[in-house]
Amino acid sequence: MLGCGRGRKSSRERILDAAAELVSETGAGRLTLDAVAERAGLSKGGLLYNFPTKEALLQAMVQRLVDEVSAEREALRAHAEPGRNLEARLCTAALLKLRQGRTKEVANGMLAASAENPRLLDPVREVVKATLENLKATSDDLDAALLGWLAVEGLNSLEMHDLSPFSEEEHERIVQAVSRLLGKGIAE
């Protein structure tokens, strides 16, 4: 994440980092603005200046996840081999790269929070819609692009919810199958 001036993170970034840590530890349902302010090293007023409500904070957290996937896709683009189904390869590679660690934990917590407020996932819905339109417009083999994207989304969803029956070797086998389907390979 980019901070502001002289390498220091902005208070907004510190708040989002603190909220992500807390969501990873306790879930979004138990997230309080007081706990976030304390973890970020700010007064509650400082937090409220940036995020006037818990919903605003949660919305910013979802948007940050969306932005992280988009940034990862663009970073991969700089090194991607041109060729067949490029956008599908970039999309699946970005999703696979961000499937673990803090991103997984925060995404899982945000999904749980969306049960109480389904609108939290509106930015994700927009990205999914835009991704589908992009794949339709750019894929050399639309069937392969859609199957590859859906396979990776499904794999990530199973893993996010700790429901995956696949070993790491089986996971890699699926990724390689998607890579062959899309052409030229995807990178994790």
Side-chain angles (χ1 to χ4, degrees), residues 91-140:
C91 177
T92 55
L95 290 170
L96 286 166
K97 192 159 185 184
L98 294 172
R99 76 182 176 98
Q100 298 175 352
R102 184 183 69 89
T103 301
K104 174 188 171 186
E105 293 167 355
V106 173
N108 201 18
M110 299 312 297
L111 189 61
S114 73
E116 290 180 28
N117 183 355
R119 291 179 322 169
L120 282 177
L121 294 181
D122 284 349
V124 178
R125 286 183 190 90
E126 290 301 316
V127 168
V128 168
K129 183 178 174 182
T131 299
L132 177 59
E133 293 305 315
N134 187 31
L135 292 178
K136 286 178 179 179
T138 64
S139 297
D140 301 309

Short mmCIF file of all heavy atoms in Angstrom, two decimals, residues 91-140:
data_model
loop_
_atom_site.label_atom_id
_atom_site.label_comp_id
_atom_site.label_asym_id
_atom_site.label_seq_id
_atom_site.Cartn_x
_atom_site.Cartn_y
_atom_site.Cartn_z
N CYS A 91 -6.42 -12.11 -15.10
CA CYS A 91 -7.45 -12.15 -14.07
C CYS A 91 -7.25 -13.36 -13.16
O CYS A 91 -7.26 -13.23 -11.94
CB CYS A 91 -8.82 -12.19 -14.74
SG CYS A 91 -10.19 -12.33 -13.60
N THR A 92 -7.08 -14.53 -13.75
CA THR A 92 -6.93 -15.74 -12.93
C THR A 92 -5.63 -15.72 -12.15
O THR A 92 -5.61 -16.12 -10.98
CB THR A 92 -7.02 -17.01 -13.80
OG1 THR A 92 -6.06 -16.95 -14.85
CG2 THR A 92 -8.41 -17.19 -14.39
N ALA A 93 -4.57 -15.21 -12.74
CA ALA A 93 -3.29 -15.13 -12.02
C ALA A 93 -3.39 -14.20 -10.83
O ALA A 93 -2.88 -14.51 -9.74
CB ALA A 93 -2.18 -14.69 -12.97
N ALA A 94 -4.05 -13.05 -10.99
CA ALA A 94 -4.20 -12.11 -9.88
C ALA A 94 -5.03 -12.72 -8.76
O ALA A 94 -4.69 -12.60 -7.58
CB ALA A 94 -4.83 -10.80 -10.36
N LEU A 95 -6.11 -13.38 -9.12
CA LEU A 95 -6.95 -14.03 -8.11
C LEU A 95 -6.19 -15.10 -7.35
O LEU A 95 -6.30 -15.22 -6.12
CB LEU A 95 -8.20 -14.63 -8.76
CG LEU A 95 -9.22 -13.63 -9.28
CD1 LEU A 95 -10.27 -14.35 -10.14
CD2 LEU A 95 -9.87 -12.87 -8.14
N LEU A 96 -5.39 -15.89 -8.06
CA LEU A 96 -4.62 -16.94 -7.41
C LEU A 96 -3.53 -16.38 -6.51
O LEU A 96 -3.29 -16.91 -5.43
CB LEU A 96 -4.01 -17.87 -8.46
CG LEU A 96 -5.00 -18.81 -9.14
CD1 LEU A 96 -4.38 -19.42 -10.39
CD2 LEU A 96 -5.47 -19.88 -8.18
N LYS A 97 -2.91 -15.31 -6.94
CA LYS A 97 -1.82 -14.73 -6.15
C LYS A 97 -2.31 -14.16 -4.82
O LYS A 97 -1.61 -14.21 -3.81
CB LYS A 97 -1.10 -13.65 -6.96
CG LYS A 97 0.19 -13.23 -6.33
CD LYS A 97 1.11 -12.59 -7.31
CE LYS A 97 2.43 -12.31 -6.64
NZ LYS A 97 3.34 -11.59 -7.50
N LEU A 98 -3.52 -13.65 -4.83
CA LEU A 98 -4.05 -13.01 -3.62
C LEU A 98 -4.94 -13.94 -2.79
O LEU A 98 -5.66 -13.50 -1.92
CB LEU A 98 -4.83 -11.75 -4.02
CG LEU A 98 -3.97 -10.65 -4.63
CD1 LEU A 98 -4.83 -9.53 -5.17
CD2 LEU A 98 -2.97 -10.12 -3.61
N ARG A 99 -4.85 -15.24 -3.02
CA ARG A 99 -5.75 -16.18 -2.36
C ARG A 99 -5.37 -16.51 -0.93
O ARG A 99 -6.14 -17.15 -0.22
CB ARG A 99 -5.85 -17.48 -3.16
CG ARG A 99 -4.63 -18.37 -3.01
CD ARG A 99 -4.76 -19.62 -3.87
NE ARG A 99 -3.57 -20.43 -3.80
CZ ARG A 99 -3.42 -21.49 -3.02
NH1 ARG A 99 -4.39 -21.88 -2.25
NH2 ARG A 99 -2.29 -22.16 -3.03
N GLN A 100 -4.22 -16.11 -0.48
CA GLN A 100 -3.75 -16.53 0.82
C GLN A 100 -3.51 -15.35 1.74
O GLN A 100 -3.58 -14.20 1.33
CB GLN A 100 -2.44 -17.32 0.67
CG GLN A 100 -2.63 -18.57 -0.12
CD GLN A 100 -1.32 -19.29 -0.38
OE1 GLN A 100 -0.25 -18.78 -0.08
NE2 GLN A 100 -1.40 -20.48 -0.92
N GLY A 101 -3.20 -15.66 2.99
CA GLY A 101 -2.79 -14.66 3.95
C GLY A 101 -3.87 -13.67 4.31
O GLY A 101 -5.04 -14.00 4.39
N ARG A 102 -3.47 -12.44 4.54
CA ARG A 102 -4.37 -11.39 5.03
C ARG A 102 -5.54 -11.16 4.09
O ARG A 102 -6.68 -10.98 4.53
CB ARG A 102 -3.59 -10.09 5.24
CG ARG A 102 -4.45 -8.98 5.84
CD ARG A 102 -3.67 -7.68 5.95
NE ARG A 102 -3.40 -7.11 4.66
CZ ARG A 102 -4.22 -6.27 4.01
NH1 ARG A 102 -5.35 -5.90 4.55
NH2 ARG A 102 -3.90 -5.78 2.83
N THR A 103 -5.29 -11.18 2.80
CA THR A 103 -6.37 -10.93 1.84
C THR A 103 -7.47 -11.97 2.01
O THR A 103 -8.65 -11.63 2.03
CB THR A 103 -5.83 -10.94 0.40
OG1 THR A 103 -4.83 -9.94 0.28
CG2 THR A 103 -6.93 -10.67 -0.60
N LYS A 104 -7.09 -13.22 2.15
CA LYS A 104 -8.08 -14.29 2.34
C LYS A 104 -8.86 -14.07 3.62
O LYS A 104 -10.09 -14.15 3.63
CB LYS A 104 -7.38 -15.65 2.36
CG LYS A 104 -8.31 -16.79 2.70
CD LYS A 104 -7.56 -18.08 2.90
CE LYS A 104 -8.47 -19.14 3.46
NZ LYS A 104 -7.78 -20.36 3.81
N GLU A 105 -8.17 -13.78 4.70
CA GLU A 105 -8.83 -13.61 5.99
C GLU A 105 -9.77 -12.41 5.99
O GLU A 105 -10.89 -12.48 6.50
CB GLU A 105 -7.78 -13.45 7.10
CG GLU A 105 -6.96 -14.72 7.32
CD GLU A 105 -5.74 -14.47 8.18
OE1 GLU A 105 -5.45 -13.31 8.54
OE2 GLU A 105 -5.05 -15.45 8.49
N VAL A 106 -9.32 -11.31 5.42
CA VAL A 106 -10.16 -10.11 5.37
C VAL A 106 -11.36 -10.34 4.46
O VAL A 106 -12.50 -9.99 4.81
CB VAL A 106 -9.35 -8.88 4.92
CG1 VAL A 106 -10.25 -7.67 4.70
CG2 VAL A 106 -8.28 -8.55 5.96
N ALA A 107 -11.14 -10.96 3.31
CA ALA A 107 -12.25 -11.24 2.40
C ALA A 107 -13.29 -12.13 3.06
O ALA A 107 -14.49 -11.90 2.93
CB ALA A 107 -11.73 -11.88 1.11
N ASN A 108 -12.84 -13.12 3.79
CA ASN A 108 -13.75 -14.01 4.48
C ASN A 108 -14.55 -13.24 5.54
O ASN A 108 -15.77 -13.41 5.66
CB ASN A 108 -12.97 -15.16 5.13
CG ASN A 108 -13.84 -16.36 5.41
OD1 ASN A 108 -14.93 -16.49 4.87
ND2 ASN A 108 -13.36 -17.23 6.25
N GLY A 109 -13.89 -12.37 6.28
CA GLY A 109 -14.59 -11.55 7.27
C GLY A 109 -15.58 -10.59 6.65
O GLY A 109 -16.68 -10.39 7.17
N MET A 110 -15.21 -10.04 5.50
CA MET A 110 -16.11 -9.11 4.82
C MET A 110 -17.33 -9.83 4.26
O MET A 110 -18.43 -9.31 4.25
CB MET A 110 -15.37 -8.36 3.72
CG MET A 110 -14.21 -7.52 4.22
SD MET A 110 -14.59 -6.48 5.64
CE MET A 110 -15.80 -5.41 4.93
N LEU A 111 -17.11 -11.05 3.79
CA LEU A 111 -18.23 -11.84 3.29
C LEU A 111 -19.22 -12.11 4.42
O LEU A 111 -20.43 -12.02 4.23
CB LEU A 111 -17.72 -13.14 2.68
CG LEU A 111 -18.74 -13.96 1.93
CD1 LEU A 111 -19.31 -13.18 0.75
CD2 LEU A 111 -18.12 -15.26 1.44
N ALA A 112 -18.70 -12.42 5.60
CA ALA A 112 -19.58 -12.64 6.75
C ALA A 112 -20.35 -11.36 7.09
O ALA A 112 -21.56 -11.41 7.38
CB ALA A 112 -18.77 -13.12 7.94
N ALA A 113 -19.69 -10.23 7.03
CA ALA A 113 -20.35 -8.96 7.33
C ALA A 113 -21.44 -8.64 6.31
O ALA A 113 -22.44 -8.00 6.64
CB ALA A 113 -19.33 -7.82 7.37
N SER A 114 -21.25 -9.13 5.09
CA SER A 114 -22.24 -8.84 4.04
C SER A 114 -23.56 -9.56 4.29
O SER A 114 -24.58 -9.20 3.70
CB SER A 114 -21.69 -9.19 2.67
OG SER A 114 -21.63 -10.59 2.50
N ALA A 115 -23.56 -10.56 5.17
CA ALA A 115 -24.83 -11.22 5.51
C ALA A 115 -25.78 -10.23 6.18
O ALA A 115 -26.98 -10.28 5.97
CB ALA A 115 -24.56 -12.43 6.42
N GLU A 116 -25.22 -9.33 6.98
CA GLU A 116 -26.02 -8.30 7.64
C GLU A 116 -26.30 -7.13 6.70
O GLU A 116 -27.31 -6.46 6.84
CB GLU A 116 -25.29 -7.77 8.88
CG GLU A 116 -25.22 -8.75 10.01
CD GLU A 116 -24.49 -8.17 11.22
OE1 GLU A 116 -24.49 -6.94 11.40
OE2 GLU A 116 -23.90 -8.96 11.95
N ASN A 117 -25.36 -6.87 5.79
CA ASN A 117 -25.51 -5.74 4.88
C ASN A 117 -25.05 -6.15 3.48
O ASN A 117 -23.89 -5.96 3.12
CB ASN A 117 -24.68 -4.55 5.38
CG ASN A 117 -24.83 -3.33 4.51
OD1 ASN A 117 -25.48 -3.37 3.47
ND2 ASN A 117 -24.23 -2.24 4.92
N PRO A 118 -25.95 -6.73 2.69
CA PRO A 118 -25.58 -7.22 1.35
C PRO A 118 -25.00 -6.14 0.44
O PRO A 118 -24.25 -6.44 -0.48
CB PRO A 118 -26.89 -7.76 0.78
CG PRO A 118 -27.74 -8.05 1.98
CD PRO A 118 -27.34 -7.04 3.02
N ARG A 119 -25.31 -4.87 0.69
CA ARG A 119 -24.78 -3.78 -0.15
C ARG A 119 -23.26 -3.65 -0.04
O ARG A 119 -22.64 -3.05 -0.91
CB ARG A 119 -25.42 -2.45 0.23
CG ARG A 119 -26.89 -2.36 -0.13
CD ARG A 119 -27.45 -1.04 0.28
NE ARG A 119 -26.87 -0.66 1.57
CZ ARG A 119 -26.97 0.52 2.14
NH1 ARG A 119 -27.65 1.47 1.56
NH2 ARG A 119 -26.42 0.79 3.29
N LEU A 120 -22.66 -4.20 1.02
CA LEU A 120 -21.21 -4.13 1.15
C LEU A 120 -20.51 -4.75 -0.06
O LEU A 120 -19.41 -4.34 -0.42
CB LEU A 120 -20.73 -4.84 2.41
CG LEU A 120 -20.90 -4.11 3.73
CD1 LEU A 120 -20.46 -5.00 4.88
CD2 LEU A 120 -20.12 -2.81 3.73
N LEU A 121 -21.15 -5.73 -0.66
CA LEU A 121 -20.52 -6.41 -1.79
C LEU A 121 -20.83 -5.77 -3.13
O LEU A 121 -20.44 -6.30 -4.18
CB LEU A 121 -20.92 -7.89 -1.80
CG LEU A 121 -20.40 -8.70 -0.61
CD1 LEU A 121 -20.84 -10.15 -0.73
CD2 LEU A 121 -18.89 -8.60 -0.48
N ASP A 122 -21.49 -4.61 -3.14
CA ASP A 122 -21.79 -3.94 -4.41
C ASP A 122 -20.54 -3.68 -5.25
O ASP A 122 -20.56 -3.93 -6.47
CB ASP A 122 -22.57 -2.64 -4.18
CG ASP A 122 -24.04 -2.90 -3.85
OD1 ASP A 122 -24.51 -4.05 -4.01
OD2 ASP A 122 -24.71 -1.94 -3.42
N PRO A 123 -19.42 -3.22 -4.66
CA PRO A 123 -18.22 -3.04 -5.50
C PRO A 123 -17.73 -4.35 -6.11
O PRO A 123 -17.25 -4.37 -7.24
CB PRO A 123 -17.18 -2.46 -4.53
CG PRO A 123 -17.97 -1.87 -3.42
CD PRO A 123 -19.21 -2.71 -3.30
N VAL A 124 -17.87 -5.44 -5.38
CA VAL A 124 -17.46 -6.74 -5.90
C VAL A 124 -18.39 -7.15 -7.04
O VAL A 124 -17.93 -7.66 -8.07
CB VAL A 124 -17.45 -7.80 -4.78
CG1 VAL A 124 -17.08 -9.17 -5.32
CG2 VAL A 124 -16.48 -7.40 -3.67
N ARG A 125 -19.68 -6.92 -6.86
CA ARG A 125 -20.64 -7.22 -7.93
C ARG A 125 -20.27 -6.47 -9.22
O ARG A 125 -20.34 -7.02 -10.32
CB ARG A 125 -22.06 -6.88 -7.51
CG ARG A 125 -22.65 -7.83 -6.52
CD ARG A 125 -24.11 -7.48 -6.17
NE ARG A 125 -24.54 -8.30 -5.06
CZ ARG A 125 -24.40 -7.96 -3.78
NH1 ARG A 125 -23.88 -6.80 -3.44
NH2 ARG A 125 -24.80 -8.79 -2.83
N GLU A 126 -19.89 -5.21 -9.07
CA GLU A 126 -19.51 -4.40 -10.22
C GLU A 126 -18.26 -4.94 -10.89
O GLU A 126 -18.16 -4.98 -12.12
CB GLU A 126 -19.32 -2.94 -9.82
CG GLU A 126 -20.61 -2.24 -9.46
CD GLU A 126 -21.61 -2.22 -10.60
OE1 GLU A 126 -21.22 -1.95 -11.76
OE2 GLU A 126 -22.80 -2.51 -10.33
N VAL A 127 -17.30 -5.38 -10.09
CA VAL A 127 -16.06 -5.94 -10.66
C VAL A 127 -16.36 -7.25 -11.38
O VAL A 127 -15.83 -7.49 -12.47
CB VAL A 127 -14.99 -6.14 -9.56
CG1 VAL A 127 -13.84 -6.98 -10.06
CG2 VAL A 127 -14.49 -4.80 -9.07
N VAL A 128 -17.19 -8.08 -10.79
CA VAL A 128 -17.54 -9.35 -11.44
C VAL A 128 -18.22 -9.08 -12.78
O VAL A 128 -17.89 -9.69 -13.80
CB VAL A 128 -18.42 -10.22 -10.52
CG1 VAL A 128 -19.04 -11.39 -11.26
CG2 VAL A 128 -17.61 -10.70 -9.32
N LYS A 129 -19.14 -8.13 -12.78
CA LYS A 129 -19.84 -7.77 -14.02
C LYS A 129 -18.85 -7.23 -15.06
O LYS A 129 -18.88 -7.62 -16.23
CB LYS A 129 -20.92 -6.73 -13.71
CG LYS A 129 -21.75 -6.34 -14.89
CD LYS A 129 -22.83 -5.34 -14.47
CE LYS A 129 -23.59 -4.82 -15.66
NZ LYS A 129 -24.59 -3.82 -15.28
N ALA A 130 -17.96 -6.33 -14.63
CA ALA A 130 -16.97 -5.76 -15.55
C ALA A 130 -15.99 -6.82 -16.05
O ALA A 130 -15.59 -6.80 -17.22
CB ALA A 130 -16.21 -4.62 -14.85
N THR A 131 -15.62 -7.75 -15.18
CA THR A 131 -14.72 -8.82 -15.59
C THR A 131 -15.37 -9.68 -16.66
O THR A 131 -14.74 -10.00 -17.68
CB THR A 131 -14.32 -9.69 -14.38
OG1 THR A 131 -13.63 -8.88 -13.43
CG2 THR A 131 -13.43 -10.85 -14.79
N LEU A 132 -16.62 -10.02 -16.47
CA LEU A 132 -17.33 -10.81 -17.46
C LEU A 132 -17.39 -10.08 -18.80
O LEU A 132 -17.09 -10.66 -19.86
CB LEU A 132 -18.74 -11.15 -16.98
CG LEU A 132 -19.62 -11.91 -17.97
CD1 LEU A 132 -18.99 -13.23 -18.37
CD2 LEU A 132 -21.00 -12.10 -17.38
N GLU A 133 -17.72 -8.80 -18.76
CA GLU A 133 -17.78 -8.01 -20.00
C GLU A 133 -16.41 -7.93 -20.67
O GLU A 133 -16.29 -8.03 -21.89
CB GLU A 133 -18.35 -6.61 -19.73
CG GLU A 133 -19.80 -6.62 -19.31
CD GLU A 133 -20.72 -7.33 -20.30
OE1 GLU A 133 -20.59 -7.12 -21.53
OE2 GLU A 133 -21.56 -8.13 -19.84
N ASN A 134 -15.36 -7.76 -19.87
CA ASN A 134 -14.00 -7.69 -20.40
C ASN A 134 -13.61 -9.02 -21.05
O ASN A 134 -13.03 -9.04 -22.14
CB ASN A 134 -13.02 -7.32 -19.29
CG ASN A 134 -11.63 -7.08 -19.81
OD1 ASN A 134 -11.41 -6.63 -20.93
ND2 ASN A 134 -10.65 -7.41 -18.98
N LEU A 135 -13.93 -10.12 -20.39
CA LEU A 135 -13.61 -11.43 -20.96
C LEU A 135 -14.37 -11.66 -22.27
O LEU A 135 -13.82 -12.17 -23.24
CB LEU A 135 -13.91 -12.55 -19.97
CG LEU A 135 -13.02 -12.60 -18.73
CD1 LEU A 135 -13.46 -13.72 -17.80
CD2 LEU A 135 -11.55 -12.73 -19.09
N LYS A 136 -15.62 -11.26 -22.29
CA LYS A 136 -16.41 -11.40 -23.52
C LYS A 136 -15.81 -10.58 -24.67
O LYS A 136 -15.80 -11.02 -25.82
CB LYS A 136 -17.86 -10.95 -23.29
CG LYS A 136 -18.68 -11.92 -22.48
CD LYS A 136 -20.09 -11.35 -22.28
CE LYS A 136 -20.98 -12.28 -21.50
NZ LYS A 136 -22.33 -11.68 -21.31
N ALA A 137 -15.31 -9.41 -24.35
CA ALA A 137 -14.79 -8.51 -25.38
C ALA A 137 -13.38 -8.85 -25.84
O ALA A 137 -13.00 -8.50 -26.95
CB ALA A 137 -14.81 -7.07 -24.86
N THR A 138 -12.59 -9.53 -25.00
CA THR A 138 -11.17 -9.68 -25.32
C THR A 138 -10.70 -11.11 -25.54
O THR A 138 -9.57 -11.30 -25.98
CB THR A 138 -10.30 -9.08 -24.20
OG1 THR A 138 -10.52 -9.82 -22.99
CG2 THR A 138 -10.60 -7.61 -24.00
N SER A 139 -11.51 -12.08 -25.22
CA SER A 139 -11.03 -13.47 -25.26
C SER A 139 -11.02 -14.03 -26.66
O SER A 139 -11.97 -13.88 -27.42
CB SER A 139 -11.89 -14.35 -24.35
OG SER A 139 -11.77 -13.92 -23.02
N ASP A 140 -9.94 -14.72 -26.98
CA ASP A 140 -9.81 -15.43 -28.25
C ASP A 140 -10.66 -16.70 -28.22
O ASP A 140 -11.14 -17.15 -29.26
CB ASP A 140 -8.35 -15.80 -28.51
CG ASP A 140 -7.46 -14.57 -28.54
OD1 ASP A 140 -7.80 -13.62 -29.27
OD2 ASP A 140 -6.45 -14.57 -27.82
#
